[in-house]
Amino acid sequence: MVGPRPAEAAARRAVRSAVRDLAPGSLVLVACSGGADSLALAAATAFVASRDGLRAGAVVVDHGLQHDSAEVAAVAGAQCRALGLDPVEVRRVEVTGAGGLEAAARRARYAVLDDVAHRSGAAAVLLGHTLDDQAESVLLGLARGSGARSLAGMAAVRGTYRRPFLGLRRTDTEDVCTANGLTWWTDPTNGVPGAVPSPGAVPSPGGPADPGDPAALPAVPLPLRSQVRARVLPVLEDVLGPGVAVTLARTADLLREDADLLDELAGRLLDEARVAEPVDEEPRAGVVPVVLDTEVLRSAPAALRRRALRRAAAEAGSPAGSLFASHVATLDAMITDWRGQGPAHLPGDLRALRTRGRLFLRPARTPSPERTVPAETPAEPAQE
């Protein structure tokens, strides 16, 4: 009897490790896009669930951003059902909102995943991010001048969401799909040479394309992450040798341990600095102002103080993905270099005001056009 391919065995081990804490009969959902990573995850999950007493389903989100997205979603859903996943829900979303197309698509996708998980009572939602995705996240963080939390990349577990494949490569997921007879779709905006936007379509004729040749890339605008994938990583591999992606992912793992500890300590500092103060206006959109003791914060180590300030701003209503290092530096100056500065404007129409030894973080009383502190230091967006 012939056993599974090495990549297939590795994928099954990864899924089994990710769900081993779940009780028998628990429902696990796979977020499936129709790409090789998520289809391989669907196949491995179906295998593990059937043998470990779990139920497994899938959620396919159609973002409607390409002309054949409905067909792609339908094919992905059909392949998940053929693997034995049940329930399989295919949802179309409208991608709108601030922060750019990628951010809007992400918000819409996670809103669907959250909704389906809640309604179905799922114990976990599995995401197909791979080691290559992790390496790209680290490079993007480096380019932004980010701190340890951003460079730590994506967490293997965050709430309901789990990423079993952070130790697997994209080539592994393609091998898994091939072994299971699955046809995957390659998004042309992913920056893969010869990619075409149809299920089962084949790369352009003429043999493998050279990733370093701009002419070989898809004739569509590439998001920044895709440019890192298509142009930056191949150059690094060529100059520094193979294994760059693995090394970057290992760096993320090491930094995550440090960042997790610092975040825990920053949370304790924030609790210590928090002051219960009466507010003289109704909270806007259910957001309660955050009031902090400046002396408690001033005496704390800078690394913990800045983390606490970032968390406080997010808690007060500032979108975490829009909080940059410049914003945190402005808040920090209101603690350590107080010279009577006026209110600071933060993302989400948030205001920071210091008075009577207190730092008040709250939405503007009258909503106004978005204003933020100009970035004088490298931008550091918060992670996921």
Side-chain angles (χ1 to χ4, degrees), residues 158-233:
R158 183 178 292 277
T160 306
Y161 294 97
R162 306 184 183 198
R163 296 180 173 92
F165 281 4
L166 289 180
L168 273 65
R169 305 297 302 270
R170 286 201 182 97
T171 52
D172 295 325
T173 63
E174 292 177 359
D175 283 349
V176 172
C177 288
T178 300
N180 285 271
L182 300 172
T183 303
W184 66 91
W185 175 72
T186 302
D187 187 339
T189 66
N190 278 351
V192 178
V196 287
S198 300
V202 297
S204 303
D210 177 5
D213 179 8
L217 298 175
V220 292
L222 295 182
L224 182 58
R225 176 179 287 274
S226 296
Q227 294 186 52
V228 170
R229 176 179 307 153
R231 297 186 171 97
V232 178
L233 271 172

Side-chain angles (χ1 to χ4, degrees), residues 163-360:
R163 296 180 173 92
F165 281 4
L166 289 180
L168 273 65
R169 305 297 302 270
R170 286 201 182 97
T171 52
D172 295 325
T173 63
E174 292 177 359
D175 283 349
V176 172
C177 288
T178 300
N180 285 271
L182 300 172
T183 303
W184 66 91
W185 175 72
T186 302
D187 187 339
T189 66
N190 278 351
V192 178
V196 287
S198 300
V202 297
S204 303
D210 177 5
D213 179 8
L217 298 175
V220 292
L222 295 182
L224 182 58
R225 176 179 287 274
S226 296
Q227 294 186 52
V228 170
R229 176 179 307 153
R231 297 186 171 97
V232 178
L233 271 172
V235 170
L236 291 177
E237 295 275 356
D238 182 56
V239 174
L240 301 177
V244 170
V246 174
T247 302
L248 289 169
R250 186 184 309 124
T251 298
D253 290 340
L254 295 173
L255 285 172
R256 179 165 293 281
E257 294 178 358
D258 295 346
D260 286 346
L261 175 59
L262 288 171
D263 283 349
E264 180 183 345
L265 296 175
R268 296 178 189 175
L269 172 62
L270 182 58
D271 290 340
E272 182 183 352
R274 199 184 302 274
V275 177
E277 291 255 349
V279 295
D280 56 1
E281 76 267 6
E282 288 295 321
R284 202 176 83 203
V287 176
V288 179
V290 175
V291 185
L292 304 174
D293 186 321
T294 58
E295 185 57 32
V296 171
L297 291 170
R298 190 185 66 82
S299 61
L304 297 184
R305 182 176 62 245
R306 290 168 186 156
R307 275 174 167 77
L309 288 169
R310 177 188 290 277
R311 182 178 296 189
E315 182 181 315
S318 193
S322 300
L323 279 170
F324 296 149
S326 57
H327 302 128
V328 178
T330 297
L331 293 176
D332 197 45
M334 298 179 77
I335 302 295
T336 62
D337 189 25
W338 174 241
R339 293 173 285 104
Q341 300 96 309
H345 296 252
L346 301 173
D349 209 25
L350 191 72
R351 300 293 181 268
L353 173 68
R354 174 169 171 166
T355 181
R356 306 188 309 277
R358 301 285 188 264
L359 181 68
F360 292 79

Side-chain angles (χ1 to χ4, degrees), residues 37-66:
D37 299 341
S38 59
L39 278 175
L41 180 58
T45 302
F47 180 91
V48 170
S50 67
R51 287 156 177 80
D52 291 8
L54 300 173
R55 294 180 296 132
V59 183
V60 181
V61 180
D62 172 12
H63 298 88
L65 298 178
Q66 298 181 24

Side-chain angles (χ1 to χ4, degrees), residues 80-95:
C80 287
R81 293 186 187 97
L83 287 167
L85 299 184
D86 181 42
V88 175
E89 187 162 340
V90 179
R91 287 266 207 102
R92 187 178 179 94
V93 297
E94 184 176 352
V95 178

